[in-house]
Amino acid sequence: MRHGRYRFLAGAMLPPLLLYAVFVVSPYAQAFYLAFTDFNGVSSDVRIVGLDNFTRLWSDPLFLSALRHNGLMLVVVPLVTIALALFFAASTRGGRLLRAYRVLYFFPQLLSVAIIAVLWQFVYTPNSGLLNGFLDGIGLSTLERSWLAEPRFALWCVMAAMIWSAVGFYVVLFAAAIESIPADITEAALIDGAGPVTLFWRITLPLVWDSVQVAFVYLGIIALDGFALVQIMTVGPGGPDNSTEVMGLSLYRNAFTYGKYGYASAMGVALFFLTLTLTVLMLRATRRERVELA
Amino acid sequence: MNAHPSRRTLLLGAVAATALSACATSGADDDDTSAKGDATAENPFGAPADAPLEVVVFKGGYGDQYAIEAGTVYKQKFPKATVDHKGIQRVGEVLQPRFISDDPPDVVDNSGAGRLDLVTLVSSGKLTDLTELLDAPSLDDPAKKVRDTLMPGVVEEGTYDGKVLVLNYSSVLWGIWYSKSLFAKHSWAYPTSWAEMLALCEQVKKAGIAPWTWQGKFPEYMNDPLISLAAKAGGHDLVKSVDNLEPGIWKSPAMLAAADAVHQLAARGYIMPGSEALSHTEAQNAWSKGQAAFIPCGSWLEGEQQQVTPAGFDMVLGTVPALTGADKLPNGAVMAASSESFLVPAKAGNARGGLEYLRILFSQKVARGFAQNSKALPVVAGATDGLTLSSGLASTAETAKAAGANLFGYRFRTWYPALAKALDDATGELLTKRTTPDKWAERVQKAADAVAADSSVTKQKR
């Protein structure tokens, strides 16, 4: 009887695992091999070039500037998103109307990245865009500019779109975590005279820290990507003057425009290890004493 | 939550890596050579009468009606053959694995976003030499070779290392577009020199219209007038030197003068504000609404703007004006290139049939159908004669006729995409006045030198 159950389980598990191995694991594995070749994408006649592709990476000015931009995003996007999400989650606790806001925050999560990018492109477009129109409306027309066409602002504009699209998910995540804090702890703190700010820093935040930790990892990964938004929204894309270049875009261009699949795979491998290292570091750095509830 | 990567997954990956390492690059062994029938005057390549023919065509702005029609004619000629026509987008993604495993279709139109990099295909020896096709009698007039029915430049454009490997179908001319009716209303005349252009811009500005707009999100649109001006001043030699990556060519007087000419548009405030951030659709729509007088674009503009152009707008393609009084090319000279790259893969199962299909495709009948349905100029000479054409296409055909043999085209965009990108970036900066013509030349030259020194880039020569 028991034996039959395992057979059933194995039968149910095998097809998805097989699909996963063929369509996810094997391309990953192949990328590792291709990173050491000069594969051009169409010829099966490839040469092993050793570490050549990787040494090239460190003298490729575009890749290095992409690395810097991803680095900046890595600092800004998770911090701002988590701060906003915590604020929204904490401030929409009471009342039906306020709770309805959580649904609103979640809306961007339902849109595909491509749609988000196109929408934000319309927000930033100079002559009829929402942002310039708004600035005009409140009498700040001197601040109007071609947002995505100025190297100083373009990357920040992309980050704003990224944060906008991500924040809703974390509002819901944090809200759920906050709900699970037992009411007696909060009440006890209130009786002891804690104000809302103290309550947040001393009670709420430490008790949802697990969720915040997870959020840091997820958002870090999002910040290391950014390909779709940059590809659709920005001048060039990646511009103006490479001011929004990200690693994903460099990788894409080298593979699909320049036909340098080997070199692009090397970028992919570098990105893989960066993400892995980052995840480990984030989890280490944000490790705290775990508080057991209940 | 445990997000630490477990050792087991890493190990599994390593095992899989060795097991699957040959996958993406494992090619098939040479199997069959192309089937061949008897060659006759009617069937010069000896296409087998009963072998199936597979045609994969990019179905983009031009549609694929013309390719279907060529397939129909092929089927009439070889009733026992089946023609498998596929009109698709993302040609590269679909065909890449088939090229790697040497099991490609018989004819491919490698075009559109996501096409395969042509130079890569060429350097990997994946294409059939089309010389045989060019020297075969044309379908309409057996006394004339296919080669002699094509517009100038088409054969050269498909030539790599002395072999013709690609034939493009649609002829594209680049120039500066304006509305005939708008110009008539203000009694403006299209300028013949750049000095006149700047003078006219002043007038247009006074009339309350922005003289120029451009597709700033994709700076390459403004490169076209810029390098056209340079080619006119510097002649064919300059064009060749640019393509051959000769040192210092981007800093040559003609190139610098061209950069300065285009820079003047920005410096004198003749460009519609915000253009630098507009996508091609946004800029072109603003132009179609009469918010700007000029826009740079290739001859596909009319087709692209069909839905939004008001009646009576009458768009016309103007040749880029002369840069100086001492230009090396005559005034009618125009930058031309062709698109819709048709090729026969080297390992095609029915390569003979593929060549025959192309001979039909480049016939007058199919070409006329292309002009009428796709609203574009086919590379088959004289195909538009006697047809009633729309305003834009008629002006394109006229421009081509007026230019005669004075067509020029750069090839570095296809040969060295990294240089093309550097040029786009620099021109974007030039048009926003963030850089000067001198610094523009400096950085483009640096990029050209870098490409020339890069051993991983296959060099071409013309």
Side-chain angles (χ1 to χ4, degrees):
Chain A
M1 194 63 212
R2 231 182 140 69
H3 195 71
R5 203 176 74 172
Y6 282 128
R7 200 176 292 167
F8 170 75
L9 279 178
M13 288 292 285
L14 209 61
L17 278 179
L18 206 68
L19 285 174
Y20 188 77
V22 171
F23 292 109
V24 181
V25 179
S26 94
Y28 265 102
Q30 286 184 53
F32 276 82
Y33 159 68
L34 291 176
F36 295 96
T37 68
D38 66 348
F39 184 41
N40 65 13
V42 289
S43 173
S44 55
D45 179 24
V46 298
R47 234 163 22 98
I48 305 284
V49 294
L51 287 170
D52 204 31
N53 286 329
F54 291 94
T55 45
R56 256 170 201 277
L57 270 185
W58 296 114
S59 53
D60 181 340
L62 257 186
F63 184 76
L64 293 180
S65 78
L67 200 60
R68 276 196 298 279
H69 295 146
N70 278 120
L72 179 65
M73 282 158 67
L74 193 58
V75 174
V76 176
V77 173
L79 274 180
V80 176
T81 311
I82 288 171
L84 281 176
L86 274 174
F87 175 73
F88 290 143
S91 58
T92 52
R93 286 181 77 179
R96 222 165 249 272
L97 194 68
L98 281 174
R99 273 157 189 274
Y101 259 100
R102 288 182 187 169
V103 180
L104 283 184
Y105 292 137
F106 198 72
F107 274 172
Q109 204 63 37
L110 305 176
L111 302 175
S112 84
V113 194
I115 295 174
I116 289 169
V118 172
L119 281 178
W120 278 85
Q121 195 189 314
F122 288 136
V123 170
Y124 291 130
T125 196
N127 300 336
S128 51
L130 198 63
L131 183 54
N132 277 352
F134 173 74
L135 288 173
D136 200 33
I138 59 169
L140 289 173
S141 53
T142 45
L143 291 181
E144 285 178 39
R145 55 193 74 245
S146 299
W147 295 100
L148 290 169
E150 290 197 26
R152 274 181 302 158
F153 297 107
L155 188 61
W156 294 96
C157 290
V158 172
M159 283 195 271
M162 195 178 259
I163 292 165
W164 177 84
S165 67
V167 87
F169 177 79
Y170 296 97
V171 170
V172 173
L173 186 76
F174 295 154
I178 291 175
E179 302 282 304
S180 71
I181 298 174
D184 42 359
I185 298 184
T186 328
E187 274 165 23
L190 285 173
I191 290 167
D192 287 346
V197 177
T198 321
L199 192 70
F200 175 79
W201 287 109
R202 294 294 176 82
I203 305 292
T204 314
L205 190 59
L207 290 179
V208 298
W209 193 253
D210 264 3
S211 306
V212 173
Q213 207 181 7
V214 174
F216 261 110
V217 173
Y218 285 177
L219 285 163
I221 292 170
I222 291 177
L224 279 182
D225 175 26
F227 165 72
L229 284 179
V230 168
Q231 163 84 0
I232 299 171
M233 278 171 73
T234 63
V235 172
D241 206 16
N242 300 319
S243 59
T244 55
E245 183 81 9
V246 290
M247 284 183 283
L249 188 66
S250 274
L251 190 159
Y252 176 86
R253 191 185 301 115
N254 271 290
F256 298 102
T257 318
Y258 299 172
K260 292 182 175 173
Y261 283 79
Y263 185 48
S265 299
M267 288 185 178
V269 169
L271 193 56
F272 173 81
F273 282 112
L274 264 177
T275 315
L276 208 65
T277 318
L278 179 90
T279 309
V280 174
L281 282 180
M282 285 259 193
L283 286 173
R284 287 274 153 83
T286 55
R287 185 182 284 171
R288 294 275 170 99
E289 287 289 308
R290 192 178 284 261
V291 185
E292 291 294 338
L293 299 173
Chain B
M1 172 180 152
N2 177 18
H4 295 279
S6 78
R7 269 179 204 93
R8 206 181 317 161
T9 42
L10 273 183
L11 272 178
L12 207 75
V15 172
T18 34
L20 296 163
S21 59
C23 268
T25 51
S26 59
D29 297 324
D30 278 17
D31 42 8
D32 47 352
T33 43
S34 176
K36 192 165 180 180
D38 295 327
T40 59
E42 281 290 285
N43 183 7
F45 313 116
D50 50 359
L53 182 78
E54 189 188 357
V55 181
V56 176
V57 173
F58 170 65
K59 189 176 178 181
Y62 297 132
D64 63 346
Q65 188 53 45
Y66 65 108
I68 293 174
E69 196 182 322
T72 315
V73 177
Y74 186 90
K75 184 99 181 74
Q76 280 162 5
K77 201 164 172 182
F78 303 106
K80 276 191 258 170
T82 49
V83 178
D84 178 10
H85 172 96
K86 294 191 183 81
I88 59 169
Q89 282 94 37
R90 322 261 356 146
V91 176
E93 282 160 28
V94 176
L95 293 185
Q96 192 174 12
R98 295 188 58 187
F99 270 102
I100 295 173
S101 60
D102 282 335
D103 175 33
D106 304 309
V107 176
V108 178
D109 166 16
N110 182 40
S111 303
R115 62 181 172 269
L116 287 166
D117 181 38
L118 204 53
V119 179
T120 311
L121 283 176
V122 170
S123 61
S124 310
K126 295 284 181 183
L127 307 182
T128 301
D129 188 348
L130 300 178
T131 311
E132 201 182 345
L133 166 68
L134 292 171
D135 290 330
S138 70
L139 203 67
D140 302 290
D141 178 5
K144 222 172 171 182
K145 287 179 185 173
V146 171
R147 181 190 297 278
D148 301 323
T149 62
L150 304 176
M151 283 179 28
V154 177
V155 172
E156 205 215 333
E157 216 175 332
T159 308
Y160 291 83
D161 279 334
K163 275 194 252 172
V164 186
L165 300 171
V166 185
L167 281 181
N168 290 346
Y169 199 70
S170 171
S171 175
V172 177
L173 267 52
W174 275 272
I176 300 164
W177 289 79
Y178 60 99
S179 155
K180 215 172 160 175
S181 53
L182 181 76
F183 272 51
K185 195 175 122 198
H186 295 273
S187 57
W188 294 328
Y190 186 79
T192 53
S193 72
W194 198 256
E196 277 177 45
M197 168 60 89
L198 294 177
L200 178 62
C201 284
E202 195 58 44
Q203 275 183 290
V204 175
K205 202 178 172 186
K206 276 191 189 128
I209 301 172
W212 277 68
T213 185
W214 66 297
Q215 303 84 336
K217 195 178 173 192
F218 306 105
E220 61 190 84
Y221 282 88
M222 206 63 179
N223 281 331
D224 300 322
L226 197 163
I227 57 179
S228 291
L229 284 166
K232 289 190 149 197
H236 290 296
D237 290 342
L238 178 131
V239 176
K240 276 188 189 152
S241 307
V242 165
D243 286 344
N244 290 339
L245 300 174
E246 276 175 27
I249 189 65
W250 290 94
K251 293 187 196 167
S252 64
M255 194 56 92
L256 269 176
D260 185 53
V262 170
H263 183 243
Q264 286 301 320
L265 295 176
R268 300 188 184 195
Y270 293 156
I271 297 179
M272 186 174 88
S275 294
E276 68 276 10
L278 297 184
S279 69
H280 60 297
T281 342
E282 288 172 316
Q284 286 162 194
N285 289 355
W287 172 78
S288 282
K289 282 186 206 151
Q291 291 169 5
F294 294 113
I295 192 164
C297 198
S299 48
W300 63 80
L301 182 67
E302 187 180 38
E304 205 168 34
Q305 291 303 96
Q306 229 162 15
Q307 307 294 327
V308 289
T309 309
F313 186 77
D314 286 346
M315 63 173 79
V316 180
L317 173 82
T319 358
V320 173
L323 180 56
T324 63
D327 278 5
K328 289 201 179 138
L329 294 182
N331 219 342
V334 63
M335 180 155 105
S338 34
S339 70
E340 304 309 294
S341 313
F342 279 87
L343 52 90
V344 178
K347 292 286 164 67
N350 187 5
R352 307 270 106 206
L355 291 173
E356 181 62 21
Y357 173 89
L358 288 187
R359 197 166 73 105
I360 295 168
L361 192 74
F362 285 88
S363 70
Q364 287 283 336
K365 185 182 164 215
V366 176
R368 289 172 84 84
F370 177 76
Q372 278 172 317
N373 292 325
S374 311
K375 301 242 180 302
L377 199 62
V379 296
V380 180
T384 53
D385 291 353
L387 293 177
T388 334
L389 303 174
S390 54
S391 155
L393 184 54
S395 74
T396 307
E398 259 167 51
T399 309
K401 212 170 214 173
N406 291 310
L407 298 175
F408 57 88
Y410 290 87
R411 303 189 59 193
F412 68 89
R413 279 205 93 86
T414 350
W415 287 354
Y416 311 116
L419 173 59
K421 174 172 166 42
L423 176 64
D424 294 350
D425 293 342
T427 303
E429 294 301 287
L430 184 71
L431 267 290
T432 47
K433 296 183 283 182
R434 286 193 291 260
T435 194
T436 61
D438 286 325
K439 285 191 188 136
W440 173 89
E442 190 85 33
R443 54 186 283 180
V444 181
Q445 186 60 53
K446 207 172 139 205
D449 294 343
V451 171
D454 188 345
S455 60
S456 74
V457 177
T458 322
K459 301 296 182 310
Q460 311 281 337
K461 195 95 187 154
R462 65 185 287 198

